[in-house]
Amino acid sequence: MNKETQDKLFSLYINKDDVREAMRSPWLDEKNGKVMASNGRHLIAISKETTVGEFPTRRMLASSIEGTRLGRIPVAALKEALGKLPQEDEYITTYEGRDCEECEGTGMVTVEYRSKDGDEYDIECDCPICEGSGWKEQPRKEKTGRTIPEALACININGLYLDWKYIDTLCQACAIVGVDSLECLTSDITDLLTFKLTENISVGIMRMFAFQETNSIKIEWL
């Protein structure tokens, strides 16, 4: 694997803005012996011998991400399921907005109150400048003209409900690698389902705990 392909794959799974340092860059996992990247809800694991560069070694996972083979799933079936989910308009943020300087974006301020008896109290209330919104200028969002699955829509695979966004990311990873089907496995990690793209590349997705079952599509094996 060349570095460009490697970097594209890792970029799908890390979050450079995460407060957790380990989630902002790939690492070599002690338990699985693979180079991994994750945002805490889904991960990618690449065999060390196929990666380029050096990575810090961490013991992030206590169990293996690969267990019993369940079957194969066509990437086309995943894309079709995403298209069949209830859809909503896609928006992009065109202006990030500005916090209210008075309350520092919290929406709350502390004021002093003196009673008729002369007692003084500190009271928290809505900021009178932003009326409790926390914003001086609200973020602006605009429609892209596309639709995407609704926020709580999910894909049901082997009885686990998986966030559609992570299935979409999985399809993007398959496109980068150039595969049209993938092997599905159980995991020794509770609530994690693993997808093997190639012998050296695997993706794990955690189940959703808040979802709408009516907004789900069940995937069948090949």
Side-chain angles (χ1 to χ4, degrees), residues 71-111:
R72 291 194 71 84
I73 300 176
V75 176
L78 296 177
K79 292 180 178 180
E80 182 181 2
L82 290 171
K84 289 182 177 179
L85 289 169
Q87 304 285 303
E88 62 185 10
D89 290 326
E90 181 186 50
Y91 289 83
I92 58 171
T93 300
T94 57
Y95 174 68
E96 294 295 338
R98 294 170 57 194
D99 287 345
C100 171
E101 290 93 346
E102 194 71 28
C103 64
E104 297 181 337
T106 65
M108 302 292 292
V109 294
T110 301
V111 298

Side-chain angles (χ1 to χ4, degrees), residues 96-150:
E96 294 295 338
R98 294 170 57 194
D99 287 345
C100 171
E101 290 93 346
E102 194 71 28
C103 64
E104 297 181 337
T106 65
M108 302 292 292
V109 294
T110 301
V111 298
E112 293 183 356
Y113 172 76
R114 184 190 297 272
S115 71
K116 293 179 180 179
D117 295 330
D119 296 325
E120 294 184 350
Y121 302 89
D122 288 335
I123 300 174
E124 281 198 345
C125 63
D126 285 347
C127 173
I129 305 302
C130 66
E131 298 181 336
S133 71
W135 296 102
K136 181 172 184 178
E137 293 182 57
Q138 289 276 3
R140 287 197 297 271
K141 295 182 180 292
E142 295 182 3
K143 292 182 181 180
T144 65
R146 298 175 59 245
T147 60
I148 57 175
E150 293 179 353

Side-chain angles (χ1 to χ4, degrees), residues 1 5-6 9-10 13 34-35 43-47 50-51 65-66 170 173-174 176-179 182-183 185 194-204:
M1 180 188 303
T5 299
Q6 172 184 292
L9 289 172
F10 284 143
Y13 291 87
K34 298 177 184 293
V35 180
L43 61 85
I44 188 166
I46 303 177
S47 297
T50 66
T51 59
I65 65 168
E66 296 182 8
L170 175 61
C174 289
I176 292 172
V177 176
V179 296
L182 36 84
E183 190 174 7
L185 306 91
T194 298
F195 302 88
K196 202 164 186 176
L197 284 65
T198 69
E199 190 61 34
N200 295 308
I201 304 173
S202 298
V203 166

